[in-house]
């Protein structure tokens, strides 16, 4: 239970009854919130929805937890790093009571008031004392008095039943509120106050409410998102104005939306694309009222859009709409609240991701709309929706990969299908016959991840085993031979594989212990084992066990470690390794000294990566302008692409 779940009922009463008396009642309820959380912890769970950057989490009334969408760093918590385009249960526990989605991680509470987390952990944002990525829920400490949570990017804020406030994760902008800029890998108390009742974590800043109805903020303030009338960063909690009627808050990337007890809605911070909803695109450094309506009861904010619910059950949205995230059909940005499906009056709960939304109706049906590139809508597709769509079962495809002339796809039932050119057996159906429509590969229903090279395919099963088929001239299948395979063959007997990458003639894979393995063509040292000898079976790349992500070009490999460092090896003729040279490397070499890399991908002869500060970088061949720096000059070291710091994903 959290304060947001109280707001709709209380706000409706306030609108209809004597406001002064009920406001006093509201303050009493807010003050007693921790007590209520304790008393009700053994009751049935209240259905909840939460959205991360590109993943969605849903809590059912039976206490089970479900997730779908992007899973590159384990943010779904299912023990894998495989994206899911349909809801997938997280473990078998039925004691979950509250959830929060960070950009690429998840925090959740159980009915025994223990706190759990999973996903990315580079800044210690999971709070387990490490910076180790977690693919399944891990308990945060041993405390059993947590009552409310909020996840940002990438810091976490949580409340205890005694009214104290705790924070952990990245702190470079003072978002933890402890007066420093030091990251914390474990929960750290913010001051000594015990009157906190609600908290919301944004991008490098935090907004919080006290039981006396006052509003406080701290952290990054470059666009006025703290609401104190300045753009000055604050490293400790700072009161926003003198008002004591605040009842609900939501922090976005760089803007804040809040509700007062009189049902009015207020916003401040960046107003890019009309995200504040005041009819303008002017940034606001202090709270500004949105219209004159006093029926607002619930709010959710995305990257540059806002969604809000009124007491009459209608749903409204405003801000950016390039992906249809406003749900009004067109993709026109709105600078003022605009109704989503005007005839619908039974919306009950909302959650906003970066570019997508999830909402519940009073009949318990789940709906989604907006960007769907990682399947975060949960409708079985990767097609964006500009209007709400019910999360149905009519489309069962969940993952797809393409080679030079063939396609491999997964269905939600775990079956594997293929079509296209079938030379060398690359379709895996036991024949060499070209297929113009999907054919099932065998009868197995345990496939979970797939990767296609030029003419070979690699796939993972749910039991952690690795399988391959197709062209095998240089051992790219990893089965110890150079024999083409027309049906899947198992690679060794290990069952610890978690992530795979197939390039033209070589393959790279990660195990659950963080070790990195490679096989196939090694003419330019792209396997990273210190030689140029082709390998027909997996060989370990060094002895490190901190690898978390991999990418490769025609003959070079790029990999990311859990400490945020970036490493490369293989062909370097165009500077695609990014080490400042054109020297071929047969073992991993670090690219610079930065420790804030978060994502990397490679083209044939160039590499692109982005950092945790949202900046985008590229290096290598630039013959056709593929680096994006406005020239056609190769670069042998990472160069920043423009000055923007809002990049989220690369390919």
């Amino acid at each position: 239970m959290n304060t947001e779940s109280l707001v709709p009922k209380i706000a409706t009463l306030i609108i209809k009854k004597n406001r002064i008396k009920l406001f006093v009642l509201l303050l009493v309820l807010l003050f007693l919130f921790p007590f209520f959380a304790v008393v009700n912890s053994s009751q049935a769970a209240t259905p909840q929805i939460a959205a991360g950057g590109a993943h969605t989490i849903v809590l059912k009334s039976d206490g089970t937890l479900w997730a779908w969408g992007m899973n590159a760093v384990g943010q779904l918590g299912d023990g894998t790093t495989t994206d899911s385009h349909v809801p997938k249960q997280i473990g078998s526990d039925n004691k979950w009571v509250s959830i929060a989605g960070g950009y690429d991680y998840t925090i959740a509470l159980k009915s025994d008031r223990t706190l759990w987390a999973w996903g990315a952990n580079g800044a210690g944002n999971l709070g387990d004392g490490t910076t180790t990525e977690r693919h399944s829920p891990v308990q945060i400490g041993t405390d059993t008095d947590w009552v409310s949570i909020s996840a940002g990017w990438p810091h976490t804020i949580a409340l205890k039943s005694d009214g104290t406030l705790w924070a952990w994760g990245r702190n470079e902008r003072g978002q933890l509120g402890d007066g420093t800029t030091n990251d914390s890998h474990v929960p750290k108390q913010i001051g000594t106050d015990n009157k906190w009742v609600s908290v919301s974590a944004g991008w490098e800043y935090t907004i919080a409410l006290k039981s006396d109805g006052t509003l406080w903020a701290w952290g990054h303030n470059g666009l006025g998102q703290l609401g104190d009338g300045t753009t000055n960063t604050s490293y400790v909690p700072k009161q926003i104005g003198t008002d004591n009627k605040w009842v609900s808050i939501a922090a976005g990337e760089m803007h804040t939306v809040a509700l007062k007890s009189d049902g009015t809605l207020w916003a401040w911070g960046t107003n890019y694309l009309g995200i504040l909803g005041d009819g303008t695109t002017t940034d606001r450094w202090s709270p500004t009222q949105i219209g004159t309506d006093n029926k607002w009861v619930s709010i959710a904010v995305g990257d540059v859009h806002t969604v809000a619910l009124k007491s009459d059950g209608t749903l409204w949205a405003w801000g950016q709409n390039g992906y249809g995230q406003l749900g009004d059909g067109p993709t026109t940005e709105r600078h003022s609240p605009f109704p989503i499906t005007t005839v619908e009056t039974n919306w009950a709960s909302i959650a906003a991701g970066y570019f997508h939304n999830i909402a519940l109706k009073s009949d318990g049906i789940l709906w989604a709309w907006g960007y769907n590139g990682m399947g975060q809508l949960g409708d079985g597709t990767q097609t964006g929706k500009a209007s709400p769509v019910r999360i149905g079962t009519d489309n069962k495809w969940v993952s797809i990969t393409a080679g030079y002339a063939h396609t491999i796809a997964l269905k939600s039932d775990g079956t594997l299908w293929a079509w296209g050119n079938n030379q060398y057996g690359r379709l895996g159906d036991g024949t060499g016959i070209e297929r113009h429509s999907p054919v099932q590969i065998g009868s197995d229903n345990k496939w979970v991840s797939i990767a296609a090279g030029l003419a070979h395919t690699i796939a993972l099963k749910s039991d952690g085993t690795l399988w391959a088929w197709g062209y095998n001239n240089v051992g790219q299948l990893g089965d110890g031979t150079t024999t083409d395979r027309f049906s899947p063959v198992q690679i060794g007997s290990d069952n610890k594989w978690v992530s795979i990458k197939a390039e033209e003639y070589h393959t790279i894979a990660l195990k659950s212990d963080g070790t990195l393995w490679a096989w196939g063509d090694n003419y330019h040292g792209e396997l990273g084992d210190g030689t140029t000898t082709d390998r027909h079976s997996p060989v370990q790349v060094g002895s490190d066990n901190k690898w978390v992500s991999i990418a490769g070009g025609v003959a070079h490999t790029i990999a990311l470690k859990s400490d945020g460092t970036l490493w490369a090896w293989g062909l370097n003729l165009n500077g695609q390794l990014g080490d400042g040279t054109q020297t071929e490397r047969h073992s991993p070499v670090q690219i610079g000294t930065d420790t804030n890399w978060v994502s990397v991908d490679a083209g044939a002869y160039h590499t692109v990566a982005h950092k945790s500060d949202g900046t985008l970088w590229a290096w290598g061949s630039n013959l056709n302008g593929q680096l994006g720096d406005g020239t056609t000059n190769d670069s042998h070291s990472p160069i920043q692409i423009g000055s923007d710091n809002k990049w989220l994903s690369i390919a």
Side-chain angles (χ1 to χ4, degrees), residues 1-2 5 40-41 43-51 56-68 87-90 92-101 106-111 118 147 149 349 351 358-361 364-366:
M1 183 176 179
N2 53 41
S5 66
N40 292 325
S41 65
Q43 303 301 313
T46 300
Q48 293 178 30
I49 46 181
T56 302
I57 315 108
V58 171
L59 175 63
K60 288 188 178 181
S61 58
D62 61 4
T64 59
L65 198 58
W66 300 71
W68 61 89
K88 191 172 187 180
Q89 188 173 352
I90 310 307
S92 57
D93 207 337
N94 65 347
K95 296 181 179 180
W96 301 104
V97 294
S98 185
I99 48 177
T106 306
I107 308 288
L109 275 173
K110 287 188 179 180
S111 57
W118 56 94
V147 294
I149 47 178
S349 182
I358 306 292
L360 275 171
K361 287 187 178 179
I365 296 174
L366 193 61

Side-chain angles (χ1 to χ4, degrees), residues 170-518:
R170 194 173 303 285
N171 196 27
E172 60 187 334
R173 302 287 188 137
Q175 57 262 50
L176 298 189
D178 65 348
T180 76
T181 56
N182 302 321
D183 293 352
S184 180
H185 300 165
V186 294
K188 188 175 186 180
Q189 188 173 351
I190 302 174
T192 58
D193 205 339
N194 65 348
K195 295 181 179 180
W196 302 104
V197 293
S198 181
V199 65
S200 183
W203 188 329
E204 300 182 327
Y205 77 103
T206 305
I207 306 288
L209 277 173
K210 287 189 179 180
S211 57
D212 59 6
T214 57
L215 189 62
W216 300 72
W218 57 96
H220 186 36
N221 195 26
L223 293 169
Q225 57 265 50
L226 297 190
D228 66 348
T230 77
T231 56
N232 301 323
T233 296
S234 180
Y235 300 100
V236 293
K238 185 176 185 179
Q239 187 173 351
I240 309 306
T242 58
D243 205 340
N244 64 349
K245 295 182 179 180
W246 302 104
V247 294
S248 181
I249 47 176
E253 181 180 343
M254 293 182 183
H255 79 292
T256 305
V257 185
L259 278 172
K260 286 188 180 181
S261 58
D262 60 5
T264 58
L265 188 62
W266 301 71
W268 57 95
T270 184
N271 201 13
Y272 177 63
L273 298 177
I275 190 174
L276 298 186
D278 67 345
T280 77
T281 56
T282 304
D283 293 348
R284 305 294 182 179
W285 297 357
S286 300
T288 302
Q289 187 173 352
I290 310 307
T292 58
D293 205 339
N294 64 349
K295 295 182 179 180
W296 301 105
V297 294
S298 182
I299 46 180
V301 297
D303 180 35
V304 280
H305 77 285
T306 305
V307 185
L309 185 65
K310 287 187 180 181
S311 58
D312 60 5
T314 58
L315 196 56
W316 302 69
W318 57 95
Q320 188 197 36
N321 199 19
Y323 296 104
Q325 59 263 52
L326 299 190
D328 62 349
T331 54
T332 305
E333 67 187 57
R334 305 287 185 177
H335 299 170
S336 302
F338 194 87
I340 300 175
T341 59
T342 54
V343 297
E344 300 285 354
T345 59
N346 60 340
W347 297 104
S349 182
I350 49 176
Y354 259 56
F355 301 112
H356 77 290
N357 304 286
I358 306 292
L360 275 171
K361 287 187 178 179
S362 56
D363 58 9
I365 296 174
L366 193 61
W367 299 73
W369 63 96
Y371 184 55
N372 196 24
M374 274 73 75
Q376 55 264 54
L377 299 189
D379 68 341
T381 78
Q382 287 179 275
T383 303
K385 303 296 189 296
S387 300
V389 292
R390 184 174 176 176
I391 309 304
T393 59
D394 57 340
N395 189 329
K396 295 182 179 181
W397 299 107
V398 295
S399 181
I400 194 166
T401 185
Y404 175 71
H406 74 293
T407 304
I408 310 289
L410 274 173
K411 283 190 177 181
S412 56
D413 59 6
T415 58
L416 196 58
W417 301 71
W419 58 95
N421 184 277
N422 201 13
Q423 187 180 15
Y424 310 116
R426 68 188 81 181
L427 297 187
D429 67 344
T431 78
I433 301 170
E434 188 171 287
R435 304 292 186 175
H436 298 165
S437 58
V439 293
Q440 187 173 351
I441 302 174
S443 58
D444 208 336
N445 64 348
K446 296 181 179 180
W447 301 105
V448 294
S449 181
I450 46 179
L454 183 71
H456 75 289
T457 305
I458 307 290
L460 277 173
K461 287 188 180 180
S462 57
D463 60 5
T465 57
L466 190 61
W467 300 72
W469 58 94
Y471 197 34
N472 198 24
N473 65 320
V474 286
Q476 58 264 51
L477 298 188
D479 67 344
T481 77
T482 55
T483 304
D484 298 342
R485 303 294 184 178
F486 288 70
S487 300
V489 292
Q490 187 174 350
I491 311 306
S493 58
D494 207 340
N495 64 349
K496 295 181 179 180
W497 302 103
V498 294
S499 181
I500 48 178
K501 187 75 173 179
E503 302 307 331
E504 285 202 358
Y505 295 103
H506 74 289
T507 306
I508 317 140
L510 277 171
K511 287 188 180 180
S512 57
D513 59 6
T515 57
L516 187 61
W517 300 73

